């Protein structure tokens, strides 16, 4: 996955790109299918190997992703690149299968209040709905991810008990998930909480290489949380190129951690991940121009940095 010096697995980090799905679904501007394909081509060219591409939910519920059936088969077929798709139920799974999917993600959260608002069912009902989806996907040999959203806080009920987030992760693994991703949906988590949740996961017997974090930069804590998670042994992080996907519960605020901001940190600390910052910035500029607004990310504005010359890098 990485080119470059001898691989030290402990210094290897997976960057799970969510821009085409989680990023675009929260954007108001409708993006043509061809532009989404171009965006993904640029992401692949940047070295990203796990790109959550779209969602097979009802086209009415997320119009921005209503072209899933046409988009997925149009994406570049590159060895080693995985395009997980969000699937809420067996109907979505059948559509995803017809479109050529080989990896999926299911999406629940820690509180009934959030899942009722977000997917129209309780947490328990969501697990019941996912059980046959995960089972069928397993029969098909697909890679399966499960999200535990609102892992640290819920916009309707407040603070979340980490033990409860962990219980859900255990249940999702029992249902067949290959990976569980804890999502800080409203961006309220801080590093101590990340370290605490990770420690509890280890105590519960979960494998750190099957856990991921999805941080939002809503309150400026995303990269600090990444650092805490790295120190605790987590090696997979979600990010959205261009920082797309503002916080749906705080209009105008930052949402997803930007891939370019994550890549800058990982590069500067010597982590191996196979993603080239200047190429991510190219993809970020493409998506920003498609959406008709300036880049929101820090590194999108400042560029990378060349320690040899002191100058910024990767700017257009
Ligand atoms: Mg997100």
């Amino acid at each position: 996955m990485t080119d470059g010096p001898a691989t030290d697995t402990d210094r290897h980090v997976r960057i799970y790109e969510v821009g085409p799905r989680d990023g675009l679904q929260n954007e108001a501007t409708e993006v043509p299918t061809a532009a989404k394909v171009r965006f993904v081509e640029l992401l692949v060219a940047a070295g990203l190997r796990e790109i959550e591409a779209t969602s097979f939910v009802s086209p009415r519920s997320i119009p921005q992703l209503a072209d899933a059936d046409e988009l997925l088969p149009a994406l570049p077929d590159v060895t080693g690149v995985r395009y997980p798709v969000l699937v809420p139920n067996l109907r979505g799974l059948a559509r995803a299968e017809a479109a050529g999917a080989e990896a999926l993600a299911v999406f629940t959260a820690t509180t009934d209040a959030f899942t009722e608002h977000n997917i129209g069912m309780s947490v328990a009902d969501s697990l019941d709905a996912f059980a046959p989806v995960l089972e069928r996907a397993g029969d098909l040999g697909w890679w399966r991810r499960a999200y535990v959203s609102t892992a640290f806080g819920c916009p309707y009920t407040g603070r979340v008990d980490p033990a409860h987030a962990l219980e859900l992760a255990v249940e999702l693994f029992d249902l067949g998930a290959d990976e569980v991703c804890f999502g800080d949906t409203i961006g309220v988590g801080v590093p101590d909480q990340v370290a605490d949740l990770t420690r509890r996961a280890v105590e519960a017997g979960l494998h750190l290489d099957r856990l991921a974090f999805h941080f939002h930069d809503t309150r400026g804590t995303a990269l600090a949380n990444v650092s805490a998670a790295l120190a605790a042994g987590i090696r997979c992080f979600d990010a959205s190129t261009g920082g797309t996907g503002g916080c749906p519960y705080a209009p105008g605020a930052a949402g997803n951690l930007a891939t370019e901001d994550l890549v800058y940190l990982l590069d500067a600390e010597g982590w191996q991940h196979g993603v080239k910052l200047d190429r991510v910035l190219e993809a970020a500029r493409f998506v920003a121009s498609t959406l008709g607004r300036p880049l929101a990310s820090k590194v999108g504005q400042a560029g990378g940095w060349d320690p040899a010359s002191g100058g910024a890098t990767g700017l257009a």
Side-chain angles (χ1 to χ4, degrees):
M1 205 138 117
T2 6
D3 44 18
T7 304
D8 169 359
T9 48
D10 188 52
R11 297 298 290 178
H12 184 262
V13 169
R14 288 166 50 219
I15 300 178
Y16 183 96
E17 170 69 38
V18 298
R21 198 282 298 172
D22 188 33
L24 294 186
Q25 80 170 30
N26 291 316
E27 297 287 342
T29 307
E30 196 169 316
V31 178
T33 306
K36 293 177 185 174
V37 172
R38 182 65 190 142
F39 181 35
V40 172
E41 287 171 351
L42 291 168
L43 295 173
V44 171
L48 288 152
R49 290 296 173 262
E50 297 178 84
I51 302 170
E52 196 166 283
T54 186
S55 178
F56 286 87
V57 296
S58 155
R60 279 185 308 281
S61 68
I62 305 180
Q64 184 66 270
L65 304 181
D67 60 356
D69 308 82
E70 298 82 50
L71 176 71
L72 192 60
L75 299 181
D77 185 5
V78 177
T79 305
V81 175
R82 176 189 276 163
Y83 299 116
V85 294
L86 212 63
V87 168
N89 50 36
L90 285 170
R91 194 159 74 174
L93 182 74
R95 283 175 58 209
E97 189 182 355
E102 293 178 341
L104 63 66
V106 297
F107 191 98
T108 190
T110 58
T111 69
D112 288 333
F114 187 84
T115 53
E116 290 284 1
H117 275 90
N118 196 47
I119 53 178
M121 56 179 95
S122 68
V123 174
D125 287 347
S126 76
L127 295 177
D128 287 346
F130 298 155
V133 172
L134 290 167
E135 186 181 356
R136 169 78 180 139
D139 292 343
L140 292 167
W142 292 10
W143 181 79
R144 296 164 290 176
R145 171 184 252 221
Y147 285 100
V148 176
S149 296
T150 60
F152 301 104
C154 170
Y156 307 108
T157 62
R159 187 190 305 277
V160 168
D161 179 353
H164 178 55
L166 208 54
E167 278 166 21
L168 275 167
V170 170
E171 286 189 64
L172 289 160
F173 280 125
D174 287 346
L175 290 177
D178 296 298
E179 175 169 280
V180 168
C181 178
F182 293 108
D184 187 10
T185 312
I186 53 172
V188 292
V190 294
D192 282 356
Q193 290 175 286
V194 173
D196 176 56
L197 184 58
T198 307
R199 184 181 51 76
R200 288 167 183 262
V202 172
E203 285 171 5
L206 301 186
H207 295 277
L208 292 182
D209 61 358
R210 295 177 65 187
L211 295 176
F213 275 107
H214 179 115
F215 293 123
H216 280 198
D217 209 28
T218 321
R219 291 170 178 82
T221 59
L223 279 181
N225 288 340
V226 167
S227 281
L230 283 168
I234 298 288
R235 294 292 182 268
C236 180
F237 299 98
D238 293 10
S240 173
T241 291
T244 54
C247 182
Y249 299 90
N256 289 310
L257 169 62
T259 307
E260 54 271 34
D261 290 352
L262 175 62
V263 167
Y264 176 81
L265 176 91
L266 295 175
D267 280 348
E269 291 192 340
W271 297 95
Q272 297 174 6
H273 50 75
V275 179
K276 297 173 193 69
L277 180 59
D278 55 342
R279 304 299 294 273
V280 172
L281 286 169
E282 196 181 323
R285 281 191 293 272
F286 174 81
V287 78
S289 72
T290 301
L291 294 168
R293 59 168 170 70
L295 270 174
S297 65
K298 305 288 190 201
V299 175
Q301 293 169 35
W305 185 65
D306 175 15
S309 72
T313 64
L315 296 172

